[in-house]
């Protein structure tokens, strides 16, 4: 690695680290103020608040990484421009795309670290942190059942409603099962106190059936339902997609697809686990052209603010495409990759023009 590349790379990591430290500190301060109202409730005190903040820190770092890269790149190049070092690099024969090369390498390192941290630690710790606060405030451990009430799901011609789902995914409580015919009309309904996954099948307990046809068979007590859904799929209902590892979410989405369940929102979250770390590279491409090379020229602050605004526009575009994907207006893959592709291309064009 050349001396100039090492110089730029060290500067990039230093400024990006500083920005991440400041952004994470502001976020943690906001969380402290938000949860300070719970102090004194149950067993939730200052010590428990510090434990919560420690568990939230990795997730906050992951969320703030793109903005840290954006601000770090802008600060570094602004300092170089102000001290005429960027002008000296240009006079030495380095174009702006060549100056951006080590910064893109630094962005790639941040992207990889962000993906690994989010996939292995951050998501699970965020889930544990929220559950920890609930346990301390309410003074009780997690129960047998998943929070959030009941569920509905479709399995072939069957539509299933349950008021409670066990954390293991092995048992459903207060179950109603609706069977439809080929035209989608209701054919039979079954009610059961519980439905338990036993011996590879779903067995009803304390069941009674009502049929719209005299000869239509309805499951009886202890009957086994021909459902394909697996307990692991139901157990994952207690997790949000952002907090599931990539491989687990991939399998979860695949299982739901096989069972004919809608997966647009989950598929978007799946692909965002790849595209969001790549936002670090996009931020480098976006930030670099917005730093003026002429330290005596006007508009340098305006360009910096424009670069920051473009970064926020990138974040807003991710939210917008996510909503379009959930509404069915865009495929999940396109919705996740479109902001990265558009802003990456725009940043690349601006960087090339700045050479």
């Amino acid at each position: 690695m050349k001396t100039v590349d090492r110089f730029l790379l060290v500067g990039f990591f230093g400024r990006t680290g500083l920005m991440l430290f400041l952004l994470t500190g502001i976020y943690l301060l906001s969380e402290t103020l938000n949860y300070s109202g719970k102090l004194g409730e149950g067993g939730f005190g200052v010590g428990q608040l510090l434990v919560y903040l420690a568990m939230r820190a990795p997730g906050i770092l992951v969320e703030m990484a793109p903005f840290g890269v954006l601000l770090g790149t802008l600060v570094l190049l602004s300092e170089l421009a102000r001290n005429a070092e960027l002008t000296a690099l240009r006079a030495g024969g380095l174009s702006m795309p060549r100056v951006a090369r080590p910064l893109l390498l630094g962005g790639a390192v941040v992207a990889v670290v962000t993906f690994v941290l989010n996939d292995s630690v951050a998501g699970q710790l965020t889930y544990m942190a929220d559950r920890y606060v609930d346990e301390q405030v309410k003074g009780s451990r997690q129960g047998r059942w998943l929070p959030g009430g009941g569920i509905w799901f479709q399995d072939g011609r069957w539509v299933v409603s349950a008021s409670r789902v066990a954390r293991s995914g092995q048992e459903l409580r207060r179950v109603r099962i609706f069977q439809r015919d080929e035209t989608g009309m209701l054919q039979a309904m079954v009610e059961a106190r519980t439905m338990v996954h036993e011996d590879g099948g779903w067995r009803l307990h304390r069941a009674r059936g009502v049929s719209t046809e005299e000869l239509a068979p309805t499951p009886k007590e202890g009957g086994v339902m021909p459902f394909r859904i697996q307990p692991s799929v139901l157990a994952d209902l207690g997790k949000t997609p952002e907090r599931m590892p990539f491989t687990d979410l991939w399998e979860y989405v695949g299982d739901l697809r096989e069972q004919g369940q809608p997966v647009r929102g989950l598929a978007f979250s799946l692909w965002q686990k790849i595209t969001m770390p790549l936002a670090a590279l996009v931020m480098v491409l976006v930030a670099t052209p917005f730093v003026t090379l002429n330290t005596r020229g006007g508009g340098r602050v305006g360009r910096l603010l424009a670069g920051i605004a473009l970064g926020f526009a990138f974040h807003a575009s991710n939210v917008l495409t996510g909503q379009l994907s959930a509404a069915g207006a865009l495929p999940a893959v396109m919705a996740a990759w479109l902001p990265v592709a558009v802003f990456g291309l725009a940043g690349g064009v601006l960087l090339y023009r700045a050479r």
Side-chain angles (χ1 to χ4, degrees):
M1 180 181 293
K2 295 183 178 180
T3 303
V4 63
D5 292 332
R6 188 180 301 109
F7 169 73
L8 291 171
L9 194 59
V10 170
F12 170 83
F13 284 131
R15 275 56 169 198
T16 299
L18 177 60
M19 293 300 107
L20 279 176
F21 177 78
L22 295 175
L23 291 172
T24 302
I26 294 172
Y27 202 125
L28 287 175
L29 178 60
S30 174
E31 290 284 271
T32 301
L33 296 175
N34 186 36
Y35 281 88
S36 61
K38 297 181 181 291
L39 291 174
E41 296 184 19
F44 191 71
V46 175
Q48 287 71 29
L49 177 60
L50 294 176
V51 171
Y52 168 78
L53 294 175
M55 289 192 289
R56 283 288 289 123
I60 295 173
L61 278 172
V62 169
E63 293 179 33
M64 294 293 104
F67 294 102
V69 170
L70 173 68
L71 295 176
T73 304
L74 288 171
V75 169
L76 172 63
L77 294 180
S78 296
E79 290 178 358
L80 295 179
R82 184 176 63 250
N83 299 327
E85 292 169 300
L86 201 52
T87 303
L89 293 176
R90 289 293 304 275
L94 295 181
S95 63
M96 282 302 295
R98 176 62 183 84
V99 170
R101 187 186 303 175
L103 306 183
L104 288 171
L105 175 61
V109 172
V110 173
V112 172
V113 172
T114 299
F115 176 82
V116 173
L117 185 63
N118 183 46
D119 201 53
S120 60
V121 177
Q124 289 78 359
L125 281 179
T126 301
Y127 174 72
M128 291 171 60
D130 293 338
R131 194 175 67 190
Y132 176 77
V133 171
D134 289 338
E135 292 174 355
Q136 295 298 321
V137 171
K138 297 177 181 178
S140 61
R141 299 293 179 183
Q142 63 175 2
R144 177 185 177 189
W145 306 96
L146 290 174
I151 62 164
W152 287 80
F153 65 88
Q154 179 180 341
D155 197 317
R157 294 183 183 177
W158 300 88
V159 177
V160 181
S161 164
S163 64
R164 305 296 297 272
V165 182
R167 289 187 181 274
S168 63
Q170 300 275 350
E171 181 179 353
L172 302 178
R173 175 67 60 85
R174 291 195 291 275
V175 180
R176 286 187 176 184
I177 305 172
F178 306 90
Q179 184 182 18
R180 302 175 301 171
D181 59 20
E182 294 84 352
T183 63
M185 299 298 292
L186 180 65
Q187 186 177 24
M189 184 184 76
V190 181
E191 292 184 344
R193 178 67 178 274
T194 59
M195 185 168 69
V196 182
H197 194 264
E198 300 173 339
D199 301 324
W202 289 97
R203 190 173 301 275
L204 299 175
H205 296 276
R206 300 181 64 178
R208 61 186 181 90
V210 178
S211 173
T212 59
E213 301 178 10
E214 293 182 359
L215 300 179
T218 56
K220 305 298 182 183
E221 170 68 23
V224 177
M225 301 302 298
F227 296 154
R228 296 175 297 170
I229 193 167
Q230 296 299 310
S232 58
V233 175
L234 297 177
D236 285 336
L237 293 173
K239 304 176 183 177
T240 59
E242 295 81 7
R243 299 172 185 176
M244 297 174 65
F246 179 81
T247 53
D248 291 352
L249 185 56
W250 179 278
E251 294 175 0
Y252 183 48
V253 171
D255 290 340
L256 291 179
R257 277 203 182 103
E258 290 179 1
Q259 295 157 15
Q261 305 297 322
V263 296
R264 286 194 295 263
L266 290 172
F268 177 75
S269 297
L270 174 67
W271 289 111
Q272 269 209 321
K273 284 185 173 290
I274 298 176
T275 59
M276 288 311 295
L278 291 178
L281 291 171
V282 176
M283 292 299 101
V284 173
L285 289 173
V286 167
T288 304
F290 281 89
V291 179
T292 181
L293 300 180
N294 184 4
T295 59
R296 295 184 179 180
R300 181 161 56 91
V301 174
R303 290 195 178 193
L304 293 177
L305 294 176
I308 296 173
L310 200 56
F312 279 102
F314 173 78
H315 175 71
S317 68
N318 273 289
V319 175
L320 175 61
T321 54
Q323 296 296 331
L324 292 175
S325 175
L330 283 177
V333 177
M334 180 182 296
W337 283 95
L338 187 61
V340 173
V342 171
F343 280 81
L345 180 62
V349 171
L350 291 175
L351 180 61
Y352 179 80
R353 293 182 60 182
R355 62 186 296 132

